[in-house]
Amino acid sequence: MNVSVLLFAGYREAAGRSRLELKLPKGATVGDMARAVTEMHPAIPCAPERIVAAVNGEYSGQDHVLCEGDEVALIPPVSGGCR
């Protein structure tokens, strides 16, 4: 399935882009997506399990199952570290 990932602030700077299109297996979760993003862009300064995400405008946990066409915004920490 295909999902769009929006990157903001430090995540955008680390990845060098503001949007990613990911192909994930059916049943993939926010946690799976976060691991895929940090593997593609290891400069992202946050461990995958610490990434906060909003799916289609709603904050979602790591175990939220994604659907075809979802838009996932990765929300960087406001202050402090992420690791």
Side-chain angles (χ1 to χ4, degrees), residues 34-76:
R35 281 186 290 285
V37 169
T38 58
E39 287 173 8
M40 290 172 55
H41 299 284
I44 288 179
C46 197
E49 64 275 4
R50 305 267 321 212
I51 289 179
V52 175
V55 179
N56 301 323
E58 298 287 329
Y59 281 99
S60 300
Q62 292 277 317
D63 59 348
H64 177 90
V65 177
L66 297 168
C67 296
E68 174 71 32
D70 278 348
E71 183 177 76
V72 184
L74 301 187
I75 314 298

Side-chain angles (χ1 to χ4, degrees), residues 1-5 20-24 32-34 36-37 40-41 66 68:
M1 81 179 142
N2 296 301
V3 297
S4 297
V5 181
L20 303 171
E21 299 298 326
L22 290 182
K23 185 170 186 81
L24 298 169
D32 297 328
M33 177 275 317
V37 169
M40 290 172 55
H41 299 284
L66 297 168
E68 174 71 32

